[in-house]
Amino acid sequence: MSPVHDVTELVQGFPGRSTRHGGLGWSSVTLLRGADRTILVDCGSFGMRPLLARRLSEHGVDPPTVTDILLTHAHYDHAANYLLFPKARVHISSVELDWAHAQDPAFSPLPELYVQDLATNPRTRRIDTAADGRADVLPGIEAIAASGHTPAAWSTGSRAARRR
């Protein structure tokens, strides 16, 4: 039987746009707890750090106790805060990370220095999806290919979850 994960939305994402400034959105950050793991699905950007710290505290989560971070893709609003969780294993699509690492610094939503670190960081775990676009990431949690926004973005699914 798959482990049951309690699912809590810490930060609600917002896919905003401005007519003059382009993308103003930010990612959701979701907390999964179960099977002796404390997991974040995405970890947000610099601007959400005060809110993220408050929401983690409200749920009794100290950053060093986060065991895993699942990055759905390499954009800054999803990935920039992974360094705040010093003991977490960071899971990302191998194809996504290779693509992001190969991009030249540009006016894009990729945090180049963070992508460089992810590519060589021993805490990074590259995930390869099977032909059906799925991969087991952790017990009871799978990655499901959802490319389009980036070449190898993925969403996550828990085989057994309780929403909090």
Side-chain angles (χ1 to χ4, degrees), residues 1 7 15 18 76 80 96 101 103 137 156 158:
M1 185 165 128
V7 179
S18 166
Y76 78 95
E96 177 76 7
H101 193 240
Q103 302 306 302
V137 179
T156 58
S158 175

Side-chain angles (χ1 to χ4, degrees):
M1 185 165 128
S2 292
V4 174
H5 295 94
D6 291 324
V7 179
T8 305
E9 181 181 68
L10 294 177
V11 178
Q12 183 181 42
F14 177 73
R17 280 198 87 63
S18 166
T19 57
R20 294 179 188 247
H21 299 286
L24 297 173
W26 58 85
S27 77
S28 295
V29 178
T30 304
L31 173 66
L32 306 176
R33 286 200 257 198
D36 297 325
R37 292 185 181 275
T38 301
I39 304 163
L40 295 179
V41 178
D42 290 329
C43 55
S45 64
F46 304 113
M48 75 168 52
R49 285 180 175 184
L51 172 61
L52 182 58
R54 187 176 82 240
R55 294 291 288 148
L56 288 165
S57 178
E58 289 170 2
H59 291 279
V61 177
D62 190 35
T65 67
V66 173
T67 58
D68 300 272
I69 297 172
L70 313 180
L71 295 180
T72 60
H73 62 284
H75 282 166
Y76 78 95
D77 61 317
H78 294 257
N81 288 330
Y82 76 91
L83 291 172
L84 300 177
F85 304 93
K87 296 182 180 175
R89 187 83 189 255
V90 181
H91 308 263
I92 187 169
S93 159
S94 185
V95 173
E96 177 76 7
L97 186 53
D98 288 345
W99 166 78
H101 193 240
Q103 302 306 302
D104 289 327
F107 292 97
S108 74
L110 292 173
E112 296 91 350
L113 297 177
Y114 287 77
V115 168
Q116 285 178 357
D117 180 75
L118 277 170
T120 60
N121 193 314
R123 294 189 301 129
T124 301
R125 178 175 174 234
R126 293 167 171 264
I127 304 296
D128 293 308
T129 55
D132 67 356
R134 295 176 179 268
D136 289 326
V137 179
L138 294 166
I141 299 175
E142 67 180 340
I144 304 158
S147 62
H149 184 59
T150 63
W154 42 268
S155 55
T156 58
S158 175
R159 293 182 192 91
R162 289 187 301 249
R163 186 155 176 86
R164 297 276 177 196

